[in-house]
Amino acid sequence: MKKSFWFAAVFMVLALISLPFAIRRVDGGKEEIIIAREVLSGDLAAAEGIILQTAACWDGHLFWNTVYAADSGKEAESSFTFASRHVSWDLVPIKSAQLRPEGGAGFGSAFTDVAAVVNPDNLPFSEIIKAVAEKAAAGETYSCQMRIGDYYEYYPLVLDLEGVSVIYEGDYQKVCGWLSDFFHISTAEDRFDVTVGKDFGGQLVSVSAGVDQGEQQTDITGASAFGEDGFYCIFCLEDMDTGAGVDRGQNKGIFFFPWEQEKQDLFHLDLTQVRKACEYPGEGVPLQMLLEEEEGRIYLTVREQEEYWLWVYEIEEDGLVPVQKLSVGKSSFDLCRMLLGEEGILFTWDNNEFSFAIREEEGFRLWCSGEFPQDPEKTRIGGNPFPRENVCLFDGERLVLAAFEDWFEMNVLLAVYDGSGMVYSGLYYNGGKPDPEIPFAMSAYGIVPQGPRLWKTDNIFEAGTEGNVRPLEIFLHTQKD
C-alpha cells in the first residue's frame, strides 16, 4: 500500500507540473510524432521488417496510436483522437488459488485478539487456547507453549480464491475440516505460543498466539490455472531459508477443483469434489502454472535449487499425463512471469534475464536465453517494466523482445536475438531524442502508455481488457501489411 500511494503521489505531481507544457505540445503538432532511434549494440540490419506500434494518452482525454519501422528512418505514422469524457482502464486481478492455515495463524505467523469477551471458538487452534485459558486465574495473564500435535494431527486449512467470485456449497467449516484431512499437512513437532488474559470476573479478554516451527521455517507455496469447468492447482511446503521443498507426508500432486458457472463471474464450488489429477513426481517448488484448454495441456514451472524446469502435461479423461520435462535456465533471482504464445513460452526473471522455449512437433525446445538491455541497476518506481510487461515475437529465426524504457515513458527498448544471443538492441525515443539540458522527458508532459500497467506492488495485476488496449505491440512488415 505504501508503494502504491507513493507511486500515485509522484504521478499526480508530475501531471500537475506538466499541464502547461502538454497544452503547448498538443496544440503545436498533435499528429506530428517524431521517433528518434539510438543503436545500443549490434547490427541494425537484424531489425529488418520489424514494426513497432504504441498507444499513448494524456490525462485520459488525448490519445495517440503510432506505428514506425525499427530499421528505417521513415516518418512515423500517428493517428490522434480526443475523448470528451475521461477514459480509464480497470485493473484485472490475476486469478489464483492459495492453500493456507486457517485463521492466518499459520507457519510462523501470529495474531492478537482483544475484546470484552473473547470467544476461543472463533480463533485458530481453539482447543489449545481453551486448554491454556483453563490454567489462567481471574485477573491474570498467563503464557505457555503447547505442542500442536497433542491437539491437532494436521494443520486446519482453508482455500483462498482471488480474482473470482465463488459460492461455496455445504457447511464451510465442515468442508475446511475435510480439506485439512485431504491434504493432511502434519503439525509434526510445531509448537503454539499462547498468552491469555482474564479480567477479575474470570472472562477471557485477550489472546495472543503464534506458531513456532523451531529451526526450519516453512510455508505453503503453489501455483494454479483456471478454466471454464474448474481450476487446477498444486501446493508444496517450502523451506523459507533454503527454498527447498519440505516433506511432511502431505498429499502431493496436481489437483482439479470442478465448479459450475451461474453467470459470467459467479461460480458454485463444492470443495469436497476435488480430485487428484496426477501425482507430483518432482522434488522442486512449483511457481507458475498455465492452462491451454484448446490444446489440452498444462504448463508448470518448477524451481529445483537455482535451476528452473518446465513440466508439460496432457489432459486426459482420467487426469493429467506428464509428457515433457525441460530445463529453461538457472538463476539466483525470482521467476517473474511465464508468458505463453503461439510460437513458444517466454520466461522472465526479476533481473531482466529471460529464456524462450519454442514449440516443436515433439514438444518444446529451449531456443535462446539472455538478458534484456534494460539497466537492472537503475532504480525505477515499480521496478523495470520488461520482466512483467513486454511483447514477444518469434519468426523462426529471430526472437524479438520489446518493452517500455520506464513506466512513465513512451520510449521503447527493442532487442533481437538469434539462437546464439543478442544481435541488435536499440532505444526508440517517442517525441525525438531529449535535450540533456531539459530536465523532463515525455513523461513530464503526462503522456504515458494507454491502459493499466503491471505495477510491481504487493499485488501484481494483469492488463485490463477494456477496449483491448495494448500499449505496445510488435509486428513483422508482412503481418502489418
Side-chain angles (χ1 to χ4, degrees):
M1 291 297 292
K2 291 182 179 179
K3 291 182 181 178
S4 301
F5 176 79
W6 187 63
F7 179 88
V10 172
F11 188 87
M12 291 177 64
V13 170
L14 287 175
L16 290 172
I17 293 175
S18 70
L19 182 59
F21 298 98
I23 293 173
R24 288 200 298 269
R25 184 180 184 87
V26 172
D27 186 61
K30 59 181 178 291
E31 294 185 8
E32 298 176 4
I33 303 298
I34 300 172
I35 303 297
R37 180 186 61 237
E38 178 182 351
V39 176
L40 301 178
S41 66
D43 185 357
L44 178 60
E48 181 181 1
I50 297 173
I51 306 295
L52 290 164
Q53 178 171 300
T54 61
C57 70
W58 180 80
D59 194 36
H61 292 285
L62 309 182
F63 303 90
W64 294 262
N65 287 295
T66 305
V67 178
Y68 54 94
D71 63 331
S72 72
K74 295 181 180 179
E75 291 185 3
E77 298 179 5
S78 184
S79 60
F80 170 81
T81 57
F82 168 78
S84 58
R85 295 182 60 184
H86 185 272
V87 177
S88 61
W89 297 272
D90 293 331
L91 293 172
V92 181
I94 295 175
K95 296 177 181 177
S96 66
Q98 178 61 48
L99 195 69
R100 63 171 177 82
E102 181 184 18
F107 308 115
S109 63
F111 70 91
T112 297
D113 190 4
V114 178
V117 178
V118 174
N119 184 356
D121 289 328
N122 297 329
L123 300 177
F125 302 111
S126 59
E127 296 304 316
I128 299 179
I129 294 173
K130 291 176 184 178
V132 174
E134 290 180 358
K135 300 178 181 181
E140 181 184 48
T141 297
Y142 177 78
S143 300
C144 70
Q145 186 180 76
M146 308 286 279
R147 180 178 178 272
I148 300 176
D150 292 338
Y151 296 83
Y152 298 87
E153 182 180 3
Y154 305 126
Y155 269 98
L157 300 173
V158 295
L159 184 68
D160 282 339
L161 295 177
E162 299 291 339
V164 62
S165 297
V166 170
I167 296 175
Y168 293 97
E169 301 294 337
D171 185 313
Y172 187 72
Q173 287 299 115
K174 291 182 179 179
V175 169
C176 288
W178 184 90
L179 276 183
S180 302
D181 291 334
F182 180 80
F183 287 106
H184 50 77
I185 299 175
S186 172
T187 56
E189 296 301 316
D190 292 352
R191 306 281 171 162
F192 199 46
D193 293 320
V194 187
T195 298
V196 298
K198 288 184 177 180
D199 61 18
F200 289 103
Q203 296 287 346
L204 185 64
V205 295
S206 67
V207 175
S208 295
V211 174
D212 181 359
Q213 291 188 301
E215 295 183 358
Q216 187 182 55
Q217 299 297 313
T218 64
D219 201 0
I220 302 177
T221 187
S224 55
F226 288 69
E228 292 185 3
D229 299 326
F231 58 93
Y232 291 88
C233 55
I234 181 172
F235 307 106
C236 167
L237 291 180
E238 178 183 1
D239 188 309
M240 301 309 294
D241 292 327
T242 66
V246 176
D247 188 354
R248 286 197 175 190
Q250 66 270 20
N251 191 1
K252 295 181 180 179
I254 298 179
F255 304 93
F256 180 71
F257 287 83
W259 59 20
E260 293 184 4
Q261 187 170 356
E262 178 177 317
K263 52 185 179 180
Q264 183 177 0
D265 297 318
L266 181 62
F267 299 87
H268 289 262
L269 176 60
D270 183 351
L271 294 175
T272 64
Q273 297 302 306
V274 60
R275 62 179 183 267
K276 181 182 287 190
C278 70
E279 296 288 342
Y280 177 53
E283 297 298 327
V285 174
L287 302 175
Q288 293 190 27
M289 179 186 291
L290 296 174
L291 168 62
E292 196 174 34
E293 275 192 302
E294 291 185 2
E295 300 296 329
R297 294 193 186 95
I298 290 283
Y299 305 101
L300 176 66
T301 306
V302 174
R303 185 189 68 241
E304 296 180 12
Q305 296 181 345
E306 291 187 357
E307 187 164 10
Y308 291 81
W309 296 84
L310 170 67
W311 280 88
V312 182
Y313 295 85
E314 296 282 355
I315 301 176
E316 304 289 349
E317 289 186 6
D318 56 348
L320 300 179
V321 178
V323 295
Q324 186 179 12
K325 182 184 180 182
L326 174 70
S327 175
V328 294
K330 294 183 177 181
S331 178
S332 58
F333 289 83
D334 291 334
L335 180 73
C336 184
R337 294 189 75 194
M338 174 172 60
L339 183 64
L340 178 64
E342 293 183 3
E343 303 298 333
I345 302 178
L346 178 68
F347 303 85
T348 60
W349 283 264
D350 275 339
N351 65 334
N352 281 354
E353 292 178 340
F354 73 89
S355 289
F356 183 70
I358 63 172
R359 295 179 189 262
E360 294 183 329
E361 291 185 3
E362 301 80 12
F364 285 82
R365 175 171 64 88
L366 184 62
W367 191 82
C368 180
S369 293
E371 185 172 336
F372 190 73
Q374 199 169 43
D375 186 0
E377 302 299 326
K378 184 177 179 181
T379 301
R380 292 180 172 86
I381 299 174
N384 278 328
F386 169 74
R388 51 196 50 83
E389 184 183 80
N390 55 64
V391 286
C392 172
L393 183 148
F394 181 69
D395 66 0
E397 296 180 355
R398 297 176 299 177
L399 173 66
V400 185
L401 300 176
F404 290 110
E405 182 185 20
D406 204 309
W407 295 107
F408 297 103
E409 298 285 351
M410 291 305 303
N411 301 335
V412 175
L413 277 164
L414 176 74
V416 182
Y417 304 81
D418 62 14
S420 61
M422 185 165 60
V423 293
Y424 168 75
S425 65
L427 177 57
Y428 296 79
Y429 297 94
N430 190 306
K433 194 169 183 178
D435 187 332
E437 296 183 1
I438 299 177
F440 297 109
M442 284 286 287
S443 60
Y445 301 105
I447 300 175
V448 296
Q450 291 184 37
R453 315 299 300 285
L454 301 175
W455 312 125
K456 185 183 179 183
T457 60
D458 295 335
N459 295 307
I460 297 177
F461 295 88
E462 291 180 336
T465 57
E466 181 178 334
N468 294 319
V469 172
R470 295 181 179 179
L472 176 62
E473 294 184 81
I474 49 179
F475 307 92
L476 294 179
H477 184 70
T478 54
Q479 291 178 316
K480 196 60 184 171
D481 289 344

